[in-house]
Amino acid sequence: MSIAIREVGPGIGGEVTGIDLRQPLSGEEAAAIHAGMDRHAVLVFRDQPLTDEQHQAFSRALGPLEEAIAVALRKPEEHRLPTSFADVSNLDQDDRPFARDDRRRLFSLGNRLWHSDSSFKPVPAKYSILRALSIPSKGGDTEFADMRQAYDALDAETRAEIEDLVCEHSQIYSRRQIGFFEFTEAERALMRPVRQRLVRVHPATGRKSLYLSAHAGGIIGWPQPEAMAFLRDLMEHATQRRFVYAHRWQVGDLVIWDNRQTMHRGRPFPAEEKRDVRRTTLVGDGPTVEQVA
Ligand code: OGA
Ligand code: MN
């Protein structure tokens, strides 16, 4: 078997065949996956029935892991998965779907907004690696938008205007957008805003991309309403259908995306049905801009 990649979206998204992710990754295979990621930004692997251990081993073969998000509003005894996973499911520790008004569910609905994973951390994420164990009868797609094409499609004046802009990102800002305001002091302390450049350069390809995320809640030096209106316009531009690959999940799928050059969002599904998806995350190379103390 040798790896082949077929384009599945509009310049974003590739489907990979000819690899069994349960087996240790060869250096050649790892190189092919990284090259595929640089080109397609999202890679889909079908029929990969991995265990959690195999999922972790595969992830580590691609780079160092990020520890799970400090704030997912799950208490330690409520964790279903090891802390090296982000539990993106709608399930409690007994594998039952959260009640519709469960605070943990409402917080996780922030994933329905276009975002880039861990943009609220000083060193944001590189790849996210998400695997599906059960999926609902309808809905629940994940959509991916190409921030390279979105950047390229901006007019020259806008490109010049945003070149050196820096945004503040926090999970407080993404949740505020869906009317989730209540956080304890301890949660707020964990969600203090961090700074991110609005334009990034990909270290492997040299391509520029728009670094947008629902977590962005302001632009340094700009009045707040003007910043939010401007970011909203950029979001609308960047998420046009011509830049989007929509992934329809099957059990056994594993999808990798590059958070440095894409945004993604989850789509709605029936609240009473199980959707078990689990994510490992590779840590990025460094901050996009200097932080302030
Ligand atoms: C994620 C995420 C969306 C989804 O795993 O980071 O945002 O469709 N997922 O589950
Ligand atoms: Mn996400």
Side-chain angles (χ1 to χ4, degrees):
M1 274 202 305
S2 71
I3 286 196
I5 305 179
R6 172 177 72 88
E7 197 164 271
V8 289
I12 170 176
E15 185 174 328
V16 184
T17 52
I19 186 169
D20 179 349
L21 300 182
R22 293 170 300 191
Q23 306 303 325
L25 209 60
S26 70
E28 219 167 84
E29 287 170 330
I33 291 174
H34 286 300
M37 287 299 292
D38 291 343
R39 166 134 182 236
H40 300 280
V42 178
L43 289 180
V44 174
F45 302 76
R46 302 276 190 187
D47 301 313
Q48 301 283 347
L50 306 189
T51 63
D52 285 347
E53 291 69 31
Q54 289 164 337
H55 182 160
Q56 292 190 50
F58 167 67
S59 305
R60 288 211 172 89
L62 293 176
L65 294 192
E66 187 178 79
E67 269 302 301
I69 329 158
V71 186
L73 306 195
R74 284 183 200 249
K75 303 186 187 79
E77 67 275 17
E78 293 172 351
H79 281 251
R80 274 186 339 131
L81 306 174
T83 55
S84 48
F85 281 92
D87 193 343
V88 191
S89 78
N90 63 336
L91 305 173
D92 67 16
Q93 62 275 27
D94 301 317
D95 273 341
R96 280 185 308 239
F98 291 133
R100 190 157 179 198
D101 62 352
D102 190 295
R103 185 167 186 260
R104 296 162 295 183
R105 171 175 185 268
L106 300 180
F107 183 81
S108 76
L109 290 182
N111 281 341
R112 288 205 200 156
L113 305 177
W114 287 107
H115 66 282
S116 177
D117 288 335
S118 298
S119 73
F120 51 84
K121 292 184 177 179
V123 176
K126 183 179 179 179
Y127 300 164
S128 291
I129 305 174
L130 188 66
R131 149 177 154 257
L133 287 85
S134 51
I135 54 168
S137 62
K138 60 181 178 191
D141 291 1
T142 307
E143 296 181 342
F144 299 92
D146 190 340
M147 294 303 103
R148 305 165 298 184
Q149 296 189 61
Y151 177 83
D152 291 346
L154 291 169
D155 59 58
E157 196 181 330
T158 308
R159 286 207 295 266
E161 182 174 23
I162 65 176
E163 178 69 17
D164 293 315
L165 292 182
V166 173
C167 298
E168 285 199 306
H169 293 237
S170 164
Q171 284 181 298
I172 293 177
Y173 300 151
S174 47
R175 272 56 195 183
R176 183 168 73 188
Q177 293 194 45
I178 52 170
F180 189 115
F181 303 109
E182 278 112 58
F183 293 107
T184 65
E185 276 314 305
E187 287 166 348
R188 276 178 197 283
L190 287 169
M191 294 190 282
R192 266 196 287 274
V194 305
R195 296 184 167 196
Q196 305 292 0
R197 298 189 60 88
L198 184 50
V199 178
R200 297 184 76 161
V201 178
H202 195 276
T205 65
R207 270 187 89 172
K208 285 186 177 175
S209 62
L210 263 177
Y211 193 35
L212 287 169
S213 184
H215 307 305
I219 300 174
I220 304 295
W222 283 39
Q224 178 79 355
E226 189 178 4
M228 293 315 286
F230 185 73
L231 289 174
R232 187 177 284 221
D233 281 346
L234 283 179
M235 272 280 181
E236 198 175 304
H237 162 81
T239 57
Q240 295 173 66
R241 296 317 287 185
R242 64 187 165 119
F243 305 136
V244 171
Y245 164 66
H247 185 69
R248 155 87 24 113
W249 289 94
Q250 294 168 10
V251 169
D253 285 356
L254 181 142
V255 177
I256 312 181
W257 61 89
D258 186 344
N259 289 290
R260 302 168 303 179
Q261 43 186 358
T262 60
M263 280 199 293
H264 61 282
R265 65 171 178 178
R267 303 306 293 142
F269 60 94
E272 67 285 2
E273 293 189 27
K274 278 191 187 183
R275 183 171 185 267
D276 190 351
V277 288
R278 308 176 176 191
R279 191 186 90 208
T280 54
T281 315
L282 302 193
V283 67
D285 307 324
T288 64
V289 69
E290 211 178 304
Q291 302 298 322
V292 284

